[in-house]
Amino acid sequence: MSHARTNGKRGEREKKEVSQQRTEEFCRAAVEKFQSRGSRSVEEVARVLGVSRWSLYQWSKRYGRAAVMKHNRRPGDRSVGEKLKAVIEFEGLQGEKQGEYLRREGLRSEHIAGWKKSMEVGLEGGGGLTAGMRSEWAADKKKIKELERDLARKDRALAETTALLVLKKKADLIWGSGENE
């Protein structure tokens, strides 16, 4: 029994020594992987790195706040210019270099494809309205104005009707309704 306890304590001591041997470079790299994990769970990242979740959180507190990593942002938070730059850079790469670029930037190929398609659609129209689109827009604007006028007229009529009903009820309360006579 005492032999089992000694081995257990020695195992704990060995774990502590191993965890203390982690270099600062390893910790920073682990924090970078942790913060750019995407949809992977913390447990999965910790298992791959061979460390505990607690260690990842502690290292993140220590090393992660010093330099905010640019790929820690969500892809949708990027500006139009950043998206354009990403599409151009991605398209200029071949094969595995594209995969490395996506991992480094915290993106997926679907993001690049969607941004590229949006840019192509925007460029197809020449950036402005066609004559048909302008006339349709003007017709829609006219129709909206007519509907707003009609709605305002109906609101006034409803308010008038409501006021008349209230007055009728008050008159009936004061003089009684004419139905009884």
Side-chain angles (χ1 to χ4, degrees):
M1 181 108 177
S2 64
H3 181 67
R5 282 187 184 161
T6 326
N7 284 340
K9 287 183 181 178
R10 186 167 20 128
E12 288 174 21
R13 250 186 269 124
E14 287 174 9
K15 283 182 187 177
K16 286 181 184 176
E17 289 172 14
V18 170
S19 66
Q20 291 173 351
Q21 292 174 357
R22 305 282 189 210
T23 64
E24 186 175 327
E25 184 179 329
F26 174 83
C27 295
R28 288 184 189 278
V31 167
E32 186 171 344
K33 283 185 187 265
F34 169 64
Q35 290 182 340
S36 64
R37 68 187 183 273
S39 62
R40 293 184 301 169
S41 67
V42 178
E43 290 81 10
E44 185 179 344
V45 174
R47 188 173 18 87
V48 168
L49 292 170
V51 297
S52 67
R53 286 181 339 165
W54 183 86
S55 295
L56 282 177
Y57 285 119
Q58 293 303 310
W59 295 340
S60 184
K61 284 180 189 175
R62 187 178 308 150
Y63 302 113
R65 302 286 183 231
V68 177
M69 297 166 205
K70 69 178 180 181
H71 59 272
N72 200 19
R73 294 186 345 206
R74 294 179 300 187
D77 293 343
R78 297 170 193 249
S79 70
V80 174
E82 290 172 320
K83 291 176 182 178
L84 175 63
K85 182 181 176 200
V87 169
I88 292 170
E89 287 179 8
F90 179 79
E91 292 295 322
L93 300 173
Q94 296 297 320
E96 258 187 56
K97 298 270 186 192
Q98 287 182 333
E100 290 173 12
Y101 177 80
L102 293 174
R103 285 188 293 278
R104 184 176 70 241
E105 295 297 318
L107 297 171
R108 293 188 177 169
S109 58
E110 298 89 44
H111 298 129
I112 300 291
W115 295 342
K116 183 178 177 183
K117 184 177 180 181
S118 295
M119 290 173 200
E120 288 171 350
V121 167
L123 291 173
E124 283 176 3
L129 296 175
T130 63
M133 291 170 72
R134 267 190 297 253
S135 65
E136 187 179 327
W137 179 74
D140 287 346
K141 190 173 179 180
K142 185 178 177 183
K143 180 76 172 171
I144 289 170
K145 214 167 196 60
E146 288 174 16
L147 290 171
E148 286 175 342
R149 259 194 313 265
D150 192 38
L151 181 63
R153 182 183 58 78
K154 288 179 179 178
D155 278 345
R156 287 190 301 269
L158 181 62
E160 185 180 348
T161 304
T162 304
L164 288 172
L165 281 172
V166 168
L167 285 173
K168 183 180 181 324
K169 285 183 181 181
K170 285 184 179 182
D172 286 345
L173 284 174
I174 293 172
W175 293 295
S177 69
E179 296 172 359
N180 292 341
E181 297 174 5

